[in-house]
Each structure stands twice: as structure tokens, then as C-alpha cells.
Amino acid sequence: MIIKIDAREKRIADIVESLKRLFPGVHGRVSDLCEPTQRKYRMAVTVAMGSHMDSVIVDSSSVAIECIKYMKEQRLGVAQFIPLDSVKVKAVPEQYRVLGGSYKLILDVLKFPSLVKVAIQYVVGDSIVCDTFNEARALRYSRQIRVRVITLKGQIIHRNA
């Protein structure tokens, strides 16, 4: 099973590298462009990104369309694209940055180039990471803050739960 994951990962990386060579404006995969500031946040970041881990960040919708055409012609499979010119994100309320304790915005525990900030914010939204499930429950239900809360172990409480 591990071999398949490595082979899949390598195949996706190769496809993205060829897209970067052929089309100006392709920045790369979300998972390659950002990383947690500390190792302890890896699981929470992975859960927060979900299916967008392999999404490709591009400058514009037209670049995304060209990439999709190329991938279809070459039968390379499918990919999600996040065009920086048309992605819409809501501003993260500043109150989430000063919750205290172990609560931190996922956006604040990531390192990434400022050029792709909008795309990263689109992917993780206003998700918050905390140390334990009890802290997550307290934030979501006792303090009644309607955000997605993820623990360091990857447990998640959705905003609508």
C-alpha cells in the first residue's frame, strides 16, 4: 500500500512540474507551497486542507483552462485548480486570533509565499487548531464560536455540528 501512495504522489508531482514548465503562471500544489511552522501542527493542517492538498494554484482562470486542456489531451487525469484572480475569500475575524490558550488559526501556523495567501486562505478558511478534543468542544459548544476546530491529533468538530 505504501508503494502505491508514493507512486501516486510522484505521478502528481511530475504532472505539476510539467505544467509549471509549459505554462507560465502555474505556482504548484497547495501542499508543496506551504508548510506548518512546527511539526506538531502537521496532522491538523492536513485535515484542514482535506481534498485541496493536491489542488494546483495558478495565476488566472485562463491558465487553469489551458492546464485542463493539456491534461485532457495527454490523458494525465484530473486536478483541481485555484485561480488567484477569481478566488473569493472572506476576511478572517480578528477575534479568532486572540482567543487565548492553545487556540490558533490554521492560517497563522502555516508558512507560505505571500503571493499565494489568498489561495491558502481559501483552502483552510477560518479553521482553528487546538491541543485537545476537550478544548475543541469547549470552544465550539461552551463559547459557542461557530468555526471548524481541529485538534493536533486530527479530530475535527465542524462549524455546523
Side-chain angles (χ1 to χ4, degrees):
M1 189 73 166
I2 294 173
I3 295 169
K4 286 184 180 179
I5 293 171
D6 289 340
R8 178 186 175 276
E9 190 72 22
K10 183 178 179 352
R11 184 173 177 274
I12 292 170
D14 290 344
I15 291 169
V16 172
E17 284 306 312
S18 66
L19 291 176
K20 286 168 83 171
R21 278 193 314 272
L22 295 169
F23 303 102
V26 176
H27 297 285
R29 289 187 310 166
V30 170
S31 59
D32 296 335
L33 291 170
C34 68
E35 65 179 279
T37 55
Q38 297 177 28
R39 290 184 74 205
K40 70 179 184 176
Y41 295 122
R42 276 190 182 160
M43 178 61 75
V45 167
T46 302
V47 170
M49 289 183 178
S51 65
H52 284 291
M53 291 271 309
D54 290 329
S55 294
V56 180
I57 299 175
V58 295
D59 281 338
S60 65
S61 301
S62 60
V63 173
I65 291 168
E66 291 300 314
C67 290
I68 292 167
K69 283 181 186 175
Y70 172 78
M71 290 177 69
K72 188 174 182 179
E73 289 168 2
Q74 300 298 315
R75 298 178 187 224
L76 296 174
V78 295
Q80 288 181 310
F81 291 89
I82 302 174
L84 294 174
D85 70 338
S86 61
V87 69
K88 303 279 189 253
V89 295
K90 294 179 183 173
V92 177
E94 286 302 312
Q95 70 186 29
Y96 296 166
R97 287 198 161 92
V98 292
L99 290 171
S102 70
Y103 303 114
K104 293 186 181 354
L105 279 169
I106 296 274
L107 191 63
D108 292 346
V109 300
L110 289 171
K111 293 185 286 190
F112 50 84
S114 59
L115 179 66
V116 297
K117 181 179 182 178
V118 173
I120 302 300
Q121 190 173 348
Y122 170 77
V123 170
V124 298
D126 57 3
S127 298
I128 293 176
V129 62
C130 64
D131 290 344
T132 66
F133 192 71
N134 287 336
E135 288 176 337
R137 247 195 334 231
L139 180 69
R140 181 61 194 90
Y141 300 117
S142 298
R143 294 171 72 175
Q144 296 184 348
I145 296 178
R146 294 184 63 90
V147 294
R148 185 168 62 156
V149 188
I150 304 166
T151 68
L152 294 178
K153 291 182 178 179
Q155 299 163 308
I156 185 169
I157 298 177
H158 294 279
R159 91 176 58 246
N160 295 327

